Amino acid sequence: MLPEAIIGLTGAFGGGCTTAAKHLRDKRGFVLLRLSDPIKTNWAETHKEVPTRPDLQRLGDELRQKNHPGILVELALKAAEKGGKLPDKLVIDGIRNIGEVDYLRDVHGYRFTLVAVLADVDARWDRIGSDYTDKGLARSDFLADDLRDRNEETEYGQQVELCVDRADILIDNSTDVSLSRFKTKLLDFVDLITGKKPRSAKQAEILMNIAFSASHSSKCKKRHVGAVIADPTGQVVSAGYNENPLGTHPCVEEPEYENQCFRDIIRNNHFRLLAEKEARCPVCGEKLVFEKGPPWKCKSCAEKQEKTNLERFSFPDRALNWCTAVHAEVWAILAAGERARKGSLYTTTFPCSQCAEKIVQSGIVKVVFTESYPDLYGANRLKLGRVELEQFEGVRSSSFERIFARTKPD
């Protein structure tokens, strides 16, 4: 027997997913499953010491690679079965890999809804910083764990950014959101998902849904991004998506690039050259050995169970400067022309630094974004340009029609 509803929770640690899961258990009768439980069980079978967060991250990666990306969900669901039947309502805390999202959608379809809980770095450090300082660790250790948690280049690793990008609903739980307000919003959205309290779509949800629809035109190998510009009255004046310029081929169809992402070509050439010059790892000091990426790791560090991402030392912007595409935000700005002035831009990610400059120049006064890890340099540029930044909150993506169709008359 399949459950009536499964709520999956994703987002950076310290964002509030565990609080949300417990609240749904206590107030709406959901049975709580934690994807960390199968990892901890596996750890306890072979270790006596208490695992650290990096220990659990590494073991989770190993289990996914050894079995399949959705193995943690499969194990958690099997543990929850009683007499071959799952509980009617489940909330799953700790979704970190898109394989886990795909597994739940393949098996449970529309019964599964992915909710992303979003919070800025400062808010998360304020909430769980003591977990680090009590162990003699610093904020730098927290940021290192955070970086590992959201590394989208590793197929079997932590992919929080990509999971957030797949979410059906986003809930803002940043610094200025009180605990009581967060809990209220959570219940409102879950009651909307389950049909207990239907409502019509809000304007921001409609505009962001259009942006997501535009993103489906992209053939980018990394991420499909969409953007919409609305005038001061809320009317759409343009839409855009990330793609190579008109008259050229997408990277995936470009023979000169051997159908590869051009950014990957640049990064592979760079790390191949470093290895040829006998450069050393900035972490362990050993000579670098080239292995074609992504991801780009230090082999010596990997042998010591350390996940050193060489890219963050050479390409902290993930080589976005070498991206051959016209970004979605710029595409929308070019299409809007003067109509962009004093308008609002809705984008399915946070603008990069290069897009931020064009946004300020265009006269756009507000950016609504869904990305949970904004480009700090881009954010600062927008703030200097007096552009208002707003974290999107609401229903989006594939669940838009399913959820809001309930308000249609019979």
Side-chain angles (χ1 to χ4, degrees):
M1 295 291 291
L2 295 174
E4 296 175 2
I6 299 178
I7 304 295
L9 294 169
T10 191
F13 60 90
C17 287
T18 299
T19 298
K22 291 178 179 177
H23 195 56
L24 292 181
R25 177 195 63 193
D26 298 340
K27 296 298 182 180
R28 290 295 183 268
F30 280 76
V31 173
L32 170 57
L33 302 182
R34 298 179 178 88
L35 294 194
S36 60
D37 287 345
I39 304 175
K40 291 177 179 177
T41 298
N42 190 284
W43 176 274
E45 292 173 354
T46 54
H47 298 78
K48 293 182 179 180
E49 66 273 19
V50 177
T52 64
R53 182 177 293 277
D55 287 334
L56 295 177
Q57 287 176 332
R58 282 192 293 268
L59 182 53
D61 295 354
E62 291 171 6
L63 289 171
R64 295 187 193 98
Q65 189 167 15
K66 182 179 178 181
N67 298 278
H68 60 83
I71 184 61
L72 300 182
V73 173
E74 181 181 345
L75 293 173
L77 291 177
K78 284 183 178 178
E81 284 185 354
K82 293 183 178 179
K85 184 179 183 299
L86 287 169
D88 288 337
K89 295 190 295 183
L90 286 168
V91 56
I92 302 176
D93 181 21
I95 292 177
R96 294 284 189 274
N97 184 284
I98 56 173
E100 294 155 1
V101 179
D102 291 339
Y103 181 91
L104 284 162
R105 286 188 173 151
D106 289 344
V107 176
H108 295 282
Y110 280 149
R111 297 179 191 84
F112 169 65
T113 303
L114 182 62
V115 176
V117 180
L118 307 179
D120 54 83
V121 172
D122 289 338
R124 294 189 287 118
W125 174 251
D126 287 344
R127 291 167 187 158
I128 66 170
S130 60
D131 293 346
Y132 284 80
T133 55
D134 289 348
K135 298 174 183 177
L137 301 174
R139 180 167 172 143
S140 58
D141 298 296
F142 162 79
L143 294 175
D145 286 347
D146 191 41
L147 185 64
R148 280 191 294 267
D149 209 35
R150 60 187 176 93
N151 182 12
E152 62 187 64
E153 300 282 13
T154 304
E155 181 181 359
Y156 299 104
Q158 312 291 301
Q159 300 175 320
V160 172
E161 283 190 37
L162 292 181
C163 289
V164 169
D165 198 45
R166 298 281 191 94
D168 302 296
I169 289 179
L170 301 178
I171 303 180
D172 183 22
N173 190 28
S174 296
T175 306
D176 57 349
V177 178
S178 67
L179 179 59
S180 61
R181 175 59 184 150
F182 170 62
K183 289 181 175 180
T184 298
K185 292 193 297 183
L186 173 68
L187 294 183
D188 286 344
F189 278 117
V190 170
D191 288 345
L192 177 64
I193 292 168
T194 58
K196 186 176 181 180
K197 292 182 180 178
R199 65 166 172 81
S200 299
K202 298 177 181 178
Q203 184 185 50
E205 292 170 323
I206 294 170
L207 293 172
M208 192 60 78
N209 189 56
I210 296 173
F212 269 97
S213 295
S215 75
H216 297 319
S217 290
S218 173
K219 293 183 179 180
C220 177
K221 291 174 68 69
K222 298 298 183 182
R223 183 176 292 187
H224 297 169
V225 182
V228 162
I229 295 176
D231 67 17
T233 68
Q235 298 301 306
V236 174
V237 298
S238 70
Y241 55 93
N242 60 317
E243 193 52 84
N244 286 349
L246 295 174
T248 66
H249 297 296
C251 291
V252 70
E253 298 173 359
E254 178 53 69
E256 185 172 333
Y257 299 163
E258 297 181 350
N259 310 117
Q260 301 176 59
C261 169
F262 187 70
R263 291 164 55 212
D264 286 353
I265 294 173
I266 291 294
R267 288 180 283 188
N268 277 317
N269 288 342
H270 173 78
F271 290 116
R272 183 184 294 109
L273 180 61
L274 286 181
E276 290 174 357
K277 297 295 184 181
E278 298 186 340
R280 294 182 178 273
C281 172
V283 175
C284 71
E286 297 294 328
K287 289 182 180 179
L288 294 177
V289 177
F290 174 71
E291 293 182 344
K292 188 176 181 181
W296 293 274
K297 296 181 179 179
C298 170
K299 188 175 181 180
S300 296
C301 287
E303 291 172 352
K304 301 170 187 174
Q305 301 298 310
E306 294 294 334
K307 296 170 69 173
T308 298
N309 183 357
L310 294 173
E311 186 181 23
R312 68 186 177 98
F313 297 102
S314 297
F315 297 98
D317 68 342
R318 291 184 291 187
L320 282 174
N321 185 55
W322 293 97
C323 180
T324 56
V326 177
H327 288 192
E329 300 93 325
V330 175
W331 193 299
I333 288 170
L334 292 173
E338 281 298 310
R339 294 179 299 168
R341 193 161 297 278
K342 296 188 182 301
S344 298
L345 180 128
Y346 291 76
T347 174
T348 61
T349 63
F350 194 89
C352 68
S353 298
Q354 296 176 67
C355 289
E357 296 172 353
K358 280 78 171 179
I359 291 169
V360 174
Q361 179 70 13
S362 72
I364 287 171
V365 297
K366 181 179 179 180
V367 171
V368 182
F369 62 94
T370 64
E371 181 65 70
S372 59
Y373 297 94
D375 180 327
L376 297 180
Y377 297 109
N380 187 57
R381 194 78 190 103
L382 291 169
K383 289 176 181 176
L384 290 173
R386 297 179 177 83
V387 176
E388 179 185 354
L389 300 178
E390 180 180 309
Q391 171 71 65
F392 172 77
E393 181 175 67
V395 178
R396 66 170 204 186
S397 193
S398 59
S399 287
F400 192 87
E401 177 67 21
R402 169 173 63 96
I403 289 174
F404 291 123
R406 295 191 182 102
T407 62
K408 294 179 180 178
D410 296 333

